[in-house]
Amino acid sequence: SEAHPREVRLARLRNELNSHGSWILSGAVIDWGNPLIPLFDLVIFLSVTNGIRLKRLRDREYKRYGEEILRPGERHDRFSEFMEWADRYETGGLEVRSRRQQKAWMGDLPCEVWEIDGDRPQDELCRMILDKL
């Protein structure tokens, strides 16, 4: 289930974005965030291979929850379900969050879209993006 209804998320995000002259929004906003599209100057798509993406997700979840994700129980079950869902990113169609869905969404954007190799080290990615901006 959603943490906050769409209207609440949009209102909070618009309020935050309007309080800054420039900003970077990170994450997938397909569907719920579509009303924000006119505010975009540039969309950067970090294209990451599945193995590296899954490793980064595992590392992130371990940092958040520690050993809990490894021991039998509710947290482990949720972690396992999440990782199974995330692993379908490369094979999913337009109806689910997938590479195919994101590419189709980006193809319709009125702003510049820049796809870069997200497998590169973070410091290199940051330099590339900052140079672009």
Side-chain angles (χ1 to χ4, degrees):
S1 71
E2 295 178 54
H4 299 287
R6 175 185 177 166
E7 298 76 25
V8 172
R9 278 183 283 159
L10 279 171
R12 287 180 179 173
L13 189 51
R14 275 187 196 278
N15 187 46
E16 187 63 32
L17 297 178
N18 288 333
S19 69
H20 300 281
S22 59
W23 42 266
I24 296 173
L25 175 61
S26 173
V29 297
I30 293 175
D31 188 37
W32 75 267
N34 285 352
L36 301 172
I37 290 173
L39 304 176
F40 298 165
D41 296 320
L42 169 68
V43 168
I44 299 172
F45 179 65
L46 293 177
S47 183
V48 181
T49 56
N50 204 45
I52 289 175
R53 191 174 59 78
L54 293 174
K55 180 187 181 321
R56 289 176 181 171
L57 289 172
R58 271 191 296 279
D59 291 348
R60 182 192 72 187
E61 295 298 295
Y62 188 81
K63 280 183 182 178
R64 283 183 179 167
Y65 304 111
E67 297 289 323
E68 259 188 285
I69 66 171
L70 305 176
R71 292 190 300 267
E74 184 180 343
R75 177 66 60 198
H76 170 74
D77 294 346
R78 281 195 266 160
F79 169 72
S80 296
E81 288 172 17
F82 170 70
M83 292 304 293
E84 287 173 22
W85 171 82
D87 193 32
R88 291 191 294 268
Y89 176 78
E90 294 295 339
T91 59
L94 296 175
E95 74 286 352
V96 296
R97 187 179 297 176
S98 64
R99 181 177 298 276
R100 189 172 299 142
Q101 181 198 54
Q102 289 182 327
K103 292 273 197 164
W105 181 81
M106 289 184 299
D108 292 334
L109 293 175
C111 65
E112 180 182 358
V113 176
W114 188 36
E115 184 172 345
I116 59 176
D117 177 3
D119 290 354
R120 298 171 187 236
Q122 273 189 331
D123 59 338
E124 187 178 331
L125 290 170
C126 288
R127 272 195 313 278
M128 289 173 61
I129 292 168
L130 289 173
D131 287 347
K132 177 77 170 174
L133 299 177

